[in-house]
Amino acid sequence: SQQGEEDPQALSIQEGENATMNCSYKTSINNLQWYRQNSGRGLVHLILIRSNEREKHSGRLRVTLDTSKKSSSLLITASRAADTASYFCAADHKGGYQKVTFGTGTKLQVIP
Amino acid sequence: SQTIHQWPATLVQPVGSPLSLECTVEGTSNPNLYWYRQAAGRGLQLLFYSVGIGQISSEVPQNLSASRPQDRQFILSSKKLLLSDSGFYLCAWSTLPGQGLATNEKLFFGSGTQLSVL
């Protein structure tokens, strides 16, 4: 399958808690990106981590990358009800193919 | 600024009918263009991508096709729709960061087309 896997598939937490989502991919990558999708809408880019980086921060987002395990994680700290959405990782494949494939997504619900 | 237009937002088509979904990008040149399909509550499946006019790469064999007649126009077509073609279709674009880097660092998505084949 071209798609990576994400876990958990669904996550429900209380406002103020941290949310962690994991992503695994199958091939060598240039970078790994995380996107957010509100129901029935297009995806919005959140953060990118390059293959030579191990950790990246942006506001309440922290992403890690382990290329030896072909996995990444997204941490959202101090979650808010407005963070309720689906989150996807996307792999930019190495090899000059110019293709970007997405994981299966984690549906996050933040309960106020 | 760059924008992406995708239409229609919603489409209901009978089985066996043709399909044409159009996506256009403004404010950038020579973008990489992508068509994805998303089944209800699922991840995105890459269908086609294009790195230039007339250059189409197909990821999944199916009864869909794509064309790029102009630099900023990407069209998804079918001659005869199947029930399994139902889904949420998303168009996206990206540009390479330059400096000889052949990486896609950010995709910009259209608002999607919800296709129901009945």
Side-chain angles (χ1 to χ4, degrees), chain A residues 2-3 30-31 33 35 37 40-43 45 48 50 88 92 97-105, chain B residues 32 34 36 38 42-46 49 51 59-60 88 90 96 102-107 109-111:
Chain A
Q2 63 177 246
Q3 291 183 322
N30 294 311
N31 61 67
Q33 304 162 38
Y35 290 79
Q37 183 184 35
R41 308 292 297 273
L43 281 73
H45 185 273
L48 168 147
R50 295 188 176 87
F88 296 88
D92 178 33
Y97 300 113
Q98 301 298 311
K99 74 177 184 181
V100 180
T101 57
F102 282 75
T104 50
Chain B
N32 289 344
Y34 301 84
Y36 292 89
Q38 185 177 29
R42 304 293 298 278
L44 277 71
Q45 180 185 35
L46 177 61
Y49 64 101
V51 300
E59 281 295 294
V60 184
F88 190 49
L90 287 157
L96 303 183
T103 63
N104 294 281
E105 302 204 332
K106 189 172 184 176
L107 265 63
F109 282 83
S111 52

Side-chain angles (χ1 to χ4, degrees), chain A residues 1-111:
Chain A
S1 165
Q2 63 177 246
Q3 291 183 322
E5 296 292 325
E6 289 183 62
D7 72 270
Q9 288 190 334
L11 181 61
S12 184
I13 59 174
Q14 295 289 328
E15 203 166 30
E17 294 181 337
N18 295 342
T20 299
M21 290 160 263
N22 304 296
C23 163
S24 62
Y25 57 92
K26 298 182 179 180
T27 64
S28 295
I29 61 172
N30 294 311
N31 61 67
L32 198 289
Q33 304 162 38
W34 284 88
Y35 290 79
R36 168 193 168 126
Q37 183 184 35
N38 289 342
S39 181
R41 308 292 297 273
L43 281 73
V44 176
H45 185 273
L46 293 175
I47 192 169
L48 168 147
I49 187 165
R50 295 188 176 87
S51 60
N52 61 352
E53 297 174 319
R54 292 297 164 257
E55 188 170 313
K56 202 88 170 277
H57 295 255
S58 177
R60 293 186 295 113
L61 303 179
R62 173 180 166 245
V63 72
T64 61
L65 179 65
D66 187 335
T67 52
S68 66
K69 294 181 180 178
K70 289 187 167 56
S71 67
S72 174
S73 67
L74 174 69
L75 168 68
I76 303 175
T77 60
S79 63
R80 305 166 182 168
D83 294 329
T84 295
S86 292
Y87 292 82
F88 296 88
C89 65
D92 178 33
H93 293 252
K94 223 170 197 175
Y97 300 113
Q98 301 298 311
K99 74 177 184 181
V100 180
T101 57
F102 282 75
T104 50
T106 293
K107 194 166 186 176
L108 173 66
Q109 181 185 28
V110 181
I111 303 167

